Amino acid sequence: MTSFIKRITNGMNRLTFLMVGASVLVVACSEEKTEVVHREVDGNIVPTMLTHDVVTLISDSGITRYRITTPVWYVYDEADVPNWKFPDGMFMEKFAPDFSTDATIVCDSAVYFKNDGLWRLDGNVNILNTAGEKFLTQQVFWNQKEKTVYSDSFIHIEKSDRTIEGYGFESNERMTIYTVNNPSGIFPTSTFKNNKKDSVGADSAVATRQPHTPGKMPPPVAKPPQQPVPAPRNPAHKPGKKMMPLPLTENVQK
C-alpha cells in the first residue's frame, strides 16, 4: 500500500514538473517580439495593384458605366497624381443608362487620372459611335466630370456619305455632336475610296496631302499650326478655343 502511494506521489510530482515547464515555455515564447520592417516605396513607380488579362465592369454612383478589356492594368493609388495605366492597349465599351452600347473605343495605351475623372487615350485611337461613324486619331481626352471628349491631334472621321479630316475636335460623350476645330477637307465617300479628293479645307496645305487609305493616318505633310500636346502631369488641360472661321460642326444625335 505504501509503495502504491509513493508511485502516485511520484507521478503527481512529474506531472507538476511538466506543467511548470510548459508554463515557463509559454511565457518565454510570449515574450518574444516580432519586428516589422517598413520599406519606403515610391508610389509613382511601385503600383498598388497589378492585374493581368482583365475584363471588368466600372460603375459610378451605382450605375454600370463601361466595360474594360485589357492585357494588363496598373493601379497607382499612392502616386502624387493617383492613376490607372493600361500600357498594352485597351478595349472599352461605354454604356448608356439603359445599358445599350453608346460607343466602343480601342487604343494602344491609356491612362486614367482618378481624382479628375479624366481619360487620356493614346496611339491609333479608334472610336465608333451609335450612328456607325468612325473616329481615328492619335490622342483623345475624355473628361467624365464635364462629359466632353476632345483632342488637338489630326482627326479622321468616316461617315456613311463623306469623310472629314482636320486638326482638333470637341464632342459630347456619345460622340454624336462634335466640332472639328481646323477642318482640312471633306471628301465624298466614293471619291475618297478611289483616292480622288477635292479639298474644301481652310488651309492651302491640304492641296499637297497625298491620297491615303481610309482608316490610316496620312503621311507627314505641311499642316496648319496646332495646339501643343498636353503633358501627362496636367490632367486638367483643355484644348485651346481658337478656331478657324466657320468651324465644321456635325450633329448626328439620334
Side-chain angles (χ1 to χ4, degrees):
M1 182 68 177
T2 303
S3 60
F4 176 73
I5 294 175
K6 287 183 178 180
R7 285 199 300 271
I8 293 177
T9 302
N10 292 337
M12 293 179 66
N13 291 338
R14 292 194 188 94
L15 179 61
T16 302
F17 176 78
L18 292 175
M19 292 177 65
V20 171
S23 300
V24 172
L25 181 62
V26 170
V27 172
C29 292
S30 63
E31 291 179 352
E32 292 182 2
K33 296 182 179 180
T34 301
E35 295 185 2
V36 179
V37 179
H38 296 279
R39 295 183 58 188
E40 294 294 335
V41 295
D42 188 347
N44 297 304
I45 300 176
V46 180
T48 308
M49 181 185 74
L50 170 59
T51 309
H52 293 275
D53 300 324
V54 179
V55 179
T56 184
L57 296 172
I58 306 297
S59 300
D60 182 18
S61 302
I63 301 175
T64 302
R65 301 295 185 181
Y66 45 93
R67 175 166 50 203
I68 293 176
T69 303
T70 182
V72 60
W73 177 14
Y74 291 89
V75 176
Y76 293 88
D77 283 339
E78 302 300 326
D80 295 336
V81 180
N83 63 88
W84 303 344
K85 285 186 171 67
F86 305 86
D88 294 342
M90 180 183 69
F91 172 72
M92 178 189 292
E93 297 173 84
K94 182 181 176 300
F95 298 124
D98 62 355
F99 299 106
S100 62
T101 301
D102 250 356
T104 59
I105 302 170
V106 179
C107 60
D108 289 344
S109 65
V111 180
Y112 176 64
F113 299 97
K114 187 176 179 180
N115 291 347
D116 296 276
L118 180 71
W119 283 92
R120 191 190 73 200
L121 313 173
D122 295 298
N124 296 311
V125 183
N126 187 325
I127 303 175
L128 185 68
N129 67 10
T130 54
E133 298 173 339
K134 183 184 295 184
F135 299 75
L136 303 174
T137 185
Q138 287 299 315
Q139 186 177 67
V140 167
F141 288 87
W142 171 22
N143 191 318
Q144 292 181 307
K145 292 183 178 181
E146 298 184 0
K147 301 184 183 303
T148 58
V149 178
Y150 54 88
S151 175
D152 290 328
S153 302
F154 174 84
I155 180 70
H156 173 100
I157 304 173
E158 295 182 5
K159 299 169 64 69
S160 60
D161 58 344
R162 62 191 181 277
T163 297
I164 303 169
E165 293 184 346
Y167 294 90
F169 79 98
E170 299 179 30
S171 173
N172 64 343
E173 280 190 315
R174 299 185 64 195
M175 301 295 291
T176 55
I177 303 175
Y178 49 88
T179 298
V180 178
N181 295 343
N182 294 293
S184 59
I186 303 176
F187 316 111
T189 300
S190 58
T191 57
F192 186 85
K193 290 182 178 180
N194 294 328
N195 291 327
K196 297 178 182 179
K197 303 178 184 179
D198 296 323
S199 173
V200 294
D203 194 274
S204 60
V206 179
T208 64
R209 187 180 302 280
Q210 299 298 318
H212 62 276
T213 304
K216 295 184 179 180
M217 295 296 101
V221 295
K223 60 185 181 182
Q226 56 180 323
Q227 299 292 333
V229 175
R233 285 289 184 180
N234 184 18
H237 168 82
K238 292 183 181 180
K241 297 297 183 179
K242 184 178 180 181
M243 299 182 182
M244 297 292 292
L246 298 177
L248 175 64
T249 301
E250 293 286 332
N251 186 339
V252 294
Q253 188 172 13
K254 295 184 178 182

